[in-house]
Amino acid sequence: MSTYAPQNPHLPFGDQRTAPWYGKSIVSVNQFSREDLTYIFAVAHEMREMVVRIGTFDLLKGKILANLFYEPSTRTSSSFTAAMERLGGSVIPINEVKYSSVSKGESLPDTIRSLECYADVVVLRHPQKGASALAARYARKPIINAGDGAGEHPTQALLDLFTIREELRQVDGLTVTMLGDLRYGRTVHSLARLLSLYNVKINYVSPEVVAMPREIIAELEAKGIPQAEYTALEACLPETDVLYVTRIQKERFENPEEYEQVKGAYVITPETLKAAKERMIVMHPLPRVGEISMDVDDDPRAAYFRQMEYGLYVRMALLAMVLGKA
Ligand code: ASP
């Protein structure tokens, strides 16, 4: 495990203080080693078995999660809620920040320091890159980054990787093609970094204005990951094992004309998939707004709804880990 994960000495007794992730914040995927991932996925597997067998169990009974969302969310916020409740814990939902003190001008560190008086862990989504790292500096309880602007979305990347492993049984040797808004899409920033722990090839397909940030490409290049950039999917689709489609992130464009130029740039249809491998999977962090036609949903390669279910087990694993129960 990297030393990046902040240590936290201020936690209550009665938990497994020696558990490696106990009390730590999850801010960036750069915190994880390959061994950590093997461990997280093993715990996620156990969670899945438990949910299938008994539905809800009391591993986190008495623990409270604060779900603090400054940006809209459907899947992330509800899957963290479901994860906590399936583990017997409870949730303080704060997703309409306009009704909270934030609308009175309260700073993020103050909001966090107040919430942690009531909760054992805080899940935070915020429009500013770096917001979770800032919160983790002030917090005495673990902060889980649920998306910081165009920065990272580490729990999504973990569930994405878990999906790839579950669906294709391996990660090494695969070619992953990321398509769409690679500039503002935080999920692909985190996933590319996480994939760099494996022996993979990554293709980036996007309009030039929303290309993958240079610093991420340089980071992966330094690790020896083969990468290639395209503006059209056709050139790299036949070699692709995982097609990871993203939404053009309208809300992050400073110039609306730029958005108009690239919206609708790619649409995956059954026709597109004719040129793809039989065993390829199509992933998407959702929501989709037209980049995958609904006609694709019945194709067995369409993995995006299964991906969301895997997210529940991974988030259950992460909560159990930072609360010292795994
Ligand atoms: N739900 C993902 C996110 O929060 C993807 C998206 O919004 O397009 O980043």
Side-chain angles (χ1 to χ4, degrees):
M1 188 198 321
S2 102
T3 48
Y4 183 88
Q7 288 285 350
N8 194 334
H10 304 278
L11 287 150
F13 293 105
D15 295 329
Q16 288 172 36
R17 291 176 151 255
T18 51
W21 283 88
Y22 178 65
K24 288 183 180 152
S25 289
I26 296 173
V27 169
S28 160
V29 288
N30 287 340
Q31 288 171 246
F32 300 106
S33 67
R34 205 164 147 159
E35 295 73 53
D36 292 328
L37 298 179
T38 308
Y39 177 71
I40 294 168
F41 298 149
V43 179
H45 257 289
E46 279 178 36
M47 296 297 179
R48 182 191 196 172
E49 271 174 29
M50 292 295 276
V51 170
V52 170
R53 257 193 306 158
I54 54 173
T56 299
F57 49 106
D58 278 347
L59 191 67
L60 296 183
K61 189 174 163 60
K63 299 289 184 190
I64 297 176
L65 157 73
N67 233 357
L68 178 59
F69 280 69
Y70 291 72
E71 276 191 342
S73 168
T74 306
R75 277 149 291 271
T76 307
S77 95
S78 58
S79 68
F80 267 112
T81 300
M84 197 62 184
E85 292 187 354
R86 289 218 176 257
L87 292 167
S90 48
V91 181
I92 305 174
I94 308 162
N95 39 31
E96 288 285 355
V97 285
K98 64 178 185 286
Y99 298 127
S100 76
S101 288
V102 171
S103 65
K104 300 181 190 165
E106 186 172 61
S107 72
L108 179 62
D110 280 7
T111 303
I112 294 290
R113 281 184 291 206
S114 307
L115 276 177
E116 67 182 359
C117 298
Y118 316 128
D120 302 290
V121 53
V122 179
V123 171
L124 172 68
R125 170 167 292 182
H126 196 281
Q128 246 161 30
K129 194 172 167 180
S132 288
L134 174 74
R137 270 208 294 285
Y138 287 90
R140 298 184 310 150
K141 307 271 177 72
I143 301 293
I144 299 181
N145 181 1
D148 59 330
E152 279 215 38
H153 197 343
T155 68
Q156 174 75 43
L158 290 167
L159 78 87
D160 291 341
L161 200 59
F162 187 62
T163 303
I164 295 172
R165 276 178 46 134
E166 291 299 298
E167 296 272 322
L168 299 176
R169 300 279 147 214
Q170 64 181 51
V171 181
D172 284 321
L174 296 181
T175 296
V176 179
T177 298
M178 301 183 176
L179 172 85
D181 186 345
L182 309 182
R183 177 182 178 186
Y184 298 118
R186 53 195 172 199
T187 69
V188 282
H189 300 165
S190 290
L191 183 58
R193 289 182 167 123
L194 212 50
L195 283 168
S196 72
L197 295 173
Y198 295 81
N199 176 16
V200 292
K201 177 180 181 199
I202 308 183
N203 296 316
Y204 305 116
V205 183
S206 72
E208 268 164 36
V209 286
V210 287
M212 184 58 97
R214 297 302 96 181
E215 69 268 21
I216 296 181
I217 293 189
E219 233 178 277
L220 270 64
E221 208 166 85
K223 292 182 175 173
I225 301 295
Q227 303 169 89
E229 291 185 279
Y230 301 92
T231 50
L233 177 61
E234 288 71 26
C236 60
L237 182 61
E239 66 167 4
T240 297
D241 300 295
V242 176
L243 177 61
Y244 192 100
V245 184
T246 64
R247 172 179 72 91
I248 307 284
Q249 310 271 307
K250 183 179 182 187
E251 68 277 22
R252 310 236 183 263
F253 281 77
E254 277 166 21
N255 177 356
E257 276 170 28
E258 220 169 55
Y259 169 72
E260 289 302 321
Q261 281 163 22
V262 294
K263 77 167 191 204
Y266 308 101
V267 181
I268 306 298
T269 64
E271 194 54 36
T272 319
L273 294 186
K274 283 188 182 155
K277 289 183 183 174
E278 274 296 304
R279 250 197 112 216
M280 187 189 75
I281 54 169
V282 184
M283 298 176 63
H284 193 304
L286 302 178
R288 66 174 154 181
V289 288
E291 54 284 334
I292 302 178
S293 138
M294 282 175 76
D295 304 336
V296 172
D297 297 356
D298 291 332
D299 189 306
R301 291 171 286 189
Y304 29 93
F305 293 115
R306 299 193 292 275
Q307 187 182 346
M308 294 305 111
E309 185 187 330
Y310 294 126
L312 171 69
Y313 310 128
V314 169
R315 288 177 172 136
M316 287 172 79
L318 296 173
L319 289 172
M321 284 164 55
V322 301
L323 292 171
K325 302 292 184 190

